[in-house]
Amino acid sequence: MLNILIVTRREWLAYFHTPIAPLYLIIFLVLSSALAFYLGGFYEREIADLEPFFQFHPWIYLFLVPAIGMRLWSEEYRSGSAELLLTLPLSTWEVVLGKYLAALGLIGLGLALSFPIWITVNVLGDPDNGVIVGAYLGSWLMAGGFLAISAAASAATSNQVVAFIASSSICFVFLMAGMPLVLDPIGQVLPQGIVDVISQASFLIHYSAMARGMLDLKSGVYFVGLILLMLISNWALIEVRKAP
Amino acid sequence: MTSILAQSLTRCYGRMLAVDRVSFEVDGGTVLGFLGPNGAGKSTTMKMLTGYLHPTSGTALINGYDIRTHRRQAHQAMGYLPEGAPLYNDMRVKDFLRFVAAARGLSGTTAKTAIGSVAERLELEEVAEQSIGTLSKGFGRRVGIAQALLHDPPILILDEPTDGLDPIQKTQVRRLIQEMSDTKIVVISTHILEEVELLCDRVMIIAQGQLQLDGTPTEIRSRSRYAGALSLVVDQPQSVASKLSGLPSVSNVEYRAGKLTAFPSGDGDLAGAVQALIQSENWVVREFHLESGRLDDVFARIAGQSESHA
Ligand SMILES: Nc1ncnc2c1ncn2[C@@H]1O[C@H](COP(=O)(O)OP(=O)(O)O)[C@@H](O)[C@H]1O
Ligand SMILES: [Mg+2]
């Protein structure tokens, strides 16, 4: 456990020593509030909730999370520092989890720093704060799913641009999995049973339920399961790189 | 007890055989040099010793711990400077050394003392607050060596530790390696012959992924065709050369760069016979030197041989 946090701390030092952290936080906060106010009609709706704020998160994460995730491993392999990192007395699991938690923490910090909008709705009206907490958790969980996909993609290539494009594309497919955009072409080639399973994998459907305060167990299990699966893939990709 | 035992280490990249059944054993108090041309397989062998790459077959025991099954114990016993000294450019020197110390299980005052001591030995105090990405090459290399030394490991594996440094920095790094070699095993790789002569107690010449020769620098030098040869600088090299060739103890004579070299035939005492001839002929001899053999000659022959195989 301590070793995981040692790796996390190193990543955080790098985030804040470079423009990565400030850039992420500023873009996330500006974009999420701007979209809430201008596209979401935060004031005009005259309803005291944060739905206009949360509904754009999937689209913001779609490019911001792969941008954070792409460097997690690609950069280590490109610069050669992987050779230092992986010959320290740390297990591959400790490094995989330490890196993941560092980026997840940065995303969490972005969400936490959006608290003024939460205060605003409480000043303007009388929102259901339980729903809002649930929505924050749902947003963080979905970002965690995007991040785990991006981390695995980053472990597969030492080219950050390739990692970014690959992870955004995979994240997009997961996001849209329940929509005709994805289901129709799949339905052409695969049997209905598989199409039904894929339609259940949609980030958008799971998330929009959570964003409206319906914290259901199925969605939680879905995201956690997907994150674990992707982290195992990440671990396996690191191990495969050592093999002949 | 400090030891490395490599057992038939073999590694392929795809279908290319990069290291072919390399075996050796070293104990503490040895500076072992991997000497070989570029692409010989030195770095790949080191990557297997440090567990960064898995061998295709064979294994290595570090202080008795199998690098494949007891990674953590093996890693704890060694410090490693990878080729080119890769570092985290997005960190300050001080933060980087703290990270390595923590990962090595050093904390609190122990970590502070360890960092202070390597920073002093490698003269890093002045750059402690600097971003690693902005360091000069010499400082970067020293930070790389510092992180390998941080926990005072019994085994150091340094891949081309002086590559790309200026002559003064090279000397500094070599002095450091000499200071450490009392009890430790220090494995260095190099293609610089003088470095081997200066530093190594033992040399392994690697070419084409295979261990070609293994011995002390003196032993390896004695395999050179120059071993036992006599070099002369004289005023009339042409006439001296033809007289020398007549001696039964001389196999042949070469004239190169103002210097005559008489190679022994194995028949009688070469030096004695030449000296007698010098006296009887009254030659003016400016230089007279019995060769103990040349490392570069052995190296060139082995490297050349394996090239013609390729
Ligand atoms: N990651 C790799 N993939 C494919 N081939 C490699 C890789 N690393 C090294 N090689 C090849 O393996 C051989 C040995 O390389 P290396 O161990 O780096 O030699 P040295 O360190 O002695 O210069 C070379 O022919 C090199 O091109
Ligand atoms: Mg090399």
Side-chain angles (χ1 to χ4, degrees), chain A:
Chain A
M1 189 60 208
L2 179 65
N3 284 341
I4 296 174
L5 294 180
I6 289 167
V7 175
T8 302
R9 193 182 122 82
R10 194 215 77 75
E11 294 286 326
W12 268 63
L13 282 172
Y15 286 160
F16 283 93
H17 187 69
T18 57
I20 293 174
L23 215 57
Y24 173 82
L25 295 173
I26 291 169
I27 294 178
F28 176 75
L29 291 170
V30 168
L31 220 53
S32 60
S33 6
L35 289 173
F37 287 110
Y38 292 102
L39 284 183
F42 182 69
Y43 288 122
E44 294 80 355
R45 288 165 76 240
E46 300 198 329
I47 306 169
D49 69 5
L50 284 183
E51 212 188 311
F53 171 67
F54 285 111
Q55 66 177 320
F56 296 105
H57 284 195
W59 309 104
I60 299 174
Y61 290 146
L62 186 58
F63 70 95
L64 271 192
V65 173
I68 295 288
M70 68 181 185
R71 58 173 285 290
L72 280 179
W73 289 98
S74 302
E75 178 63 12
E76 297 269 0
Y77 283 107
R78 194 198 52 77
S79 74
S81 54
E83 211 164 331
L84 281 182
L85 183 64
L86 298 175
T87 54
L88 287 170
L90 307 168
S91 72
T92 304
W93 263 120
E94 288 165 346
V95 182
V96 167
L97 289 177
K99 280 177 168 284
Y100 179 76
L101 290 179
L104 193 64
L106 182 63
I107 294 168
L109 181 61
L111 281 171
L113 289 178
S114 70
F115 70 91
I117 198 164
W118 190 358
I119 294 175
T120 308
V121 282
N122 274 283
V123 170
L124 294 179
D126 184 20
D128 182 342
N129 281 316
V131 168
I132 293 179
V133 169
Y136 266 114
L137 284 178
S139 172
W140 202 24
L141 206 51
M142 176 181 59
F146 281 152
L147 181 63
I149 291 170
S150 307
S154 172
T157 169
S158 42
N159 185 324
Q160 292 200 40
V161 176
V162 172
F164 177 80
I165 294 172
S167 25
S168 311
S169 314
I170 300 169
C171 289
F172 182 74
V173 171
F174 269 97
L175 192 61
M176 302 299 285
M179 309 291 137
L181 176 72
V182 170
L183 290 183
D184 286 352
I186 292 176
Q188 305 283 320
V189 283
L190 292 175
Q192 189 58 37
I194 295 178
V195 176
D196 287 343
V197 172
I198 292 172
S199 71
Q200 295 302 306
S202 168
F203 273 32
L204 216 48
I205 290 168
H206 286 285
Y207 172 66
S208 52
M210 288 194 292
R212 273 179 272 113
M214 283 171 276
L215 256 194
D216 89 81
L217 193 64
K218 218 173 70 183
S219 298
V221 168
Y222 168 69
F223 278 121
V224 171
L226 181 87
I227 290 169
L228 287 179
L229 189 72
M230 286 300 153
L231 289 178
I232 292 170
S233 313
N234 185 346
W235 171 85
L237 285 162
I238 303 302
E239 289 298 320
V240 160
R241 276 174 173 260
K242 297 178 186 171

Side-chain angles (χ1 to χ4, degrees), chain B residues 23-45:
Chain B
S23 299
F24 60 91
E25 191 174 355
V26 222
D27 292 319
T30 312
V31 179
L32 169 63
F34 286 175
L35 180 65
N38 284 326
K42 305 180 295 292
S43 297
T44 304
T45 305

Side-chain angles (χ1 to χ4, degrees), chain B residues 43 83 159-160:
Chain B
S43 297
E83 186 168 29
D159 199 346
E160 305 204 7

